[in-house]
């Protein structure tokens, strides 16, 4: 065996009490001599265990990323494809009249509601038309907007009530 340890540089003496393949100073093996030992020597000294280099967790992280990407990109294939129910189309939307002014914010919101949901309506400006103002007063209007859907009168902008009245004709 080697008389000088390649790890710590200790010179081995003849009266060392450790096996020939082990350094008396640092205790490390001189070389991987496990394969060169006879079966009797292996039993006497035991097996030299060399730690295995496993490469850390990077391969598991890579595997997890690949699996996640696979799930993400195949999601449309395994998700249940439910066709949304087709909206019930009712024929004959009732007449909708909007009594409003140009400057009113709620009147603007009413117009946007009608445009967004595809509701046909007729607008009457109560500041520009005396006839519209008289009809507004007859309907009990105290302010604007006043919305008439068929025979139903809605004072002010009430989106929930409008949705309830116009549900069959709202698109989307």
């Amino acid at each position: 065996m080697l008389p000088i340890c390649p790890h710590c540089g200790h010179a081995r003496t003849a009266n060392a009490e450790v096996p020939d393949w082990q350094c008396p100073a640092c205790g490390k093996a001189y070389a991987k001599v496990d394969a060169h030992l006879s079966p009797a020597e292996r039993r006497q000294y035991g097996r030299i265990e060399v730690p295995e280099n496993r490469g850390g967790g990077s391969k598991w992280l890579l595997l997890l990323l690949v699996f996640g990407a696979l799930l993400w990109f195949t999601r449309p294939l395994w998700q249940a494809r439910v066709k949304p129910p087709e909206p019930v189309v009712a024929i004959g939307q009732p007449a909708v009249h909007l009594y409003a002014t140009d400057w009113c914010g709620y009147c603007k919101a009413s117009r946007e509601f009608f445009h967004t949901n595809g509701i046909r309506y007729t607008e009457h400006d109560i500041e520009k038309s005396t006839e519209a103002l008289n009809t507004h007063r007859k309907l009990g209007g105290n302010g604007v907007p006043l919305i008439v859907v068929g025979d139903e009168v809605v004072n002010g902008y009430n989106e929930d009530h409008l949705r309830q009245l116009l549900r069959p004709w709202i698109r989307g």
Side-chain angles (χ1 to χ4, degrees):
M1 291 292 156
L2 295 175
I4 298 176
C5 177
H7 302 290
C8 68
H10 176 73
R12 185 178 183 91
T13 59
N15 59 355
E17 296 181 6
V18 293
D20 289 342
W21 49 265
Q22 187 176 13
C23 174
C26 67
K28 292 186 179 179
Y30 290 130
K32 294 182 181 179
V33 294
D34 190 14
H36 304 292
L37 294 176
S38 68
E41 289 173 319
R42 283 191 200 132
R43 279 192 300 275
Q44 178 185 1
Y45 298 120
R47 184 169 175 83
I48 300 174
E49 295 294 330
V50 178
E52 193 176 305
N53 185 5
R54 294 182 180 234
S58 60
K59 65 180 176 183
W60 292 108
L61 180 63
L62 180 63
L63 184 63
L64 183 63
L65 286 173
V66 168
F67 184 69
L70 181 69
L71 283 176
W72 179 260
F73 289 113
T74 60
R75 187 185 59 212
L77 299 176
W78 50 265
Q79 282 182 336
R81 294 184 184 190
V82 178
K83 187 176 181 182
E86 293 187 22
V88 177
V89 179
I91 300 174
Q93 172 191 321
V96 177
H97 295 276
L98 171 65
Y99 293 90
T101 60
D102 290 335
W103 51 266
C104 173
Y106 290 108
C107 299
K108 181 179 178 183
S110 300
R111 288 183 205 102
E112 289 175 3
F113 173 79
F114 293 141
H115 286 292
T116 308
N117 294 297
I119 302 296
R120 294 182 317 272
Y121 70 100
T122 306
E123 184 171 347
H124 307 280
D125 192 327
I126 63 170
E127 291 182 329
K128 296 178 181 174
S129 168
T130 308
E131 184 181 335
L133 179 61
N134 291 336
T135 308
H136 178 265
R137 287 183 181 157
K138 286 179 187 175
L139 292 170
N142 293 334
V144 287
L146 179 93
I147 303 167
V148 181
V149 179
D151 296 331
E152 186 81 26
V153 178
V154 180
N155 280 303
Y157 176 66
N158 186 342
E159 184 175 341
D160 293 334
H161 192 59
L162 289 173
R163 283 191 183 279
Q164 182 181 7
L165 291 172
L166 297 167
R167 179 175 291 133
W169 299 280
I170 291 178
R171 69 175 164 188

